[in-house]
């Protein structure tokens, strides 16, 4: 198995597209890391910094990421890609230390009120 660190600074926008779910065994039990912490899996879309290409990756974390909404922009820390091969099948899994929401992300909320700017005035309004 080959593990590679991913430089997230070179990636474009990263958004949550599937909210965190417990990672389960084929028997339906929660998978755990070496320390016994439950593993969670989150679907993220990654848009390349240049161009229109978007990929969806499923990232595993130890412990449940908090405050993630589908559609919201997120920050990923210490992302690694791990290549695997089992019984003639191959693939890549992604692990991260944390997935946290980017504050101020427009995310999954449907708010129509303008954001407050400096000194409480609405953004884009008159000075």
């Amino acid at each position: 198995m080959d593990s590679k660190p991913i430089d997230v600074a070179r990636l474009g926008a990263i958004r949550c597209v599937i909210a965190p779910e417990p990672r389960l065994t084929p028997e339906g039990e929660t998978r755990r890391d070496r320390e016994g912490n439950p593993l969670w899996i989150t679907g993220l879309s990654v848009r390349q910094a240049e161009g229109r290409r978007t990929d969806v990756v499923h990232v595993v974390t130890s412990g449940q990421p908090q405050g993630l909404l589908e559609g919201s922009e997120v920050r990923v820390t210490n992302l690694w890609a791990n290549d695997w091969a089992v019984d003639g099948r191959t693939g890549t899994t992604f692990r991260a230390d944390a997935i946290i929401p980017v504050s101020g992300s427009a995310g999954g909320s449907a708010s129509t009120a303008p954001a407050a700017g400096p000194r409480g005035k609405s953004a884009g309004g008159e000075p």
Side-chain angles (χ1 to χ4, degrees), residues 56-121:
V56 175
V57 295
H58 299 276
V59 180
V60 175
T61 54
S62 292
Q64 181 179 9
Q66 299 294 314
L68 299 186
L69 298 173
E70 291 183 0
S72 63
E73 189 172 354
V74 298
R75 182 174 301 118
V76 181
T77 58
N78 202 18
L79 181 64
W80 284 77
N82 301 300
D83 295 329
W84 57 268
V86 176
D87 297 330
R89 299 178 309 139
T90 61
T92 303
T93 58
F94 295 90
R95 295 278 314 237
D97 286 348
I99 304 171
I100 56 173
V102 173
S103 60
S105 174
S109 69
S111 173
T112 57
R119 291 175 278 188
K121 296 181 181 179

Side-chain angles (χ1 to χ4, degrees), residues 6 10 96:
I6 306 295
R10 296 186 64 188

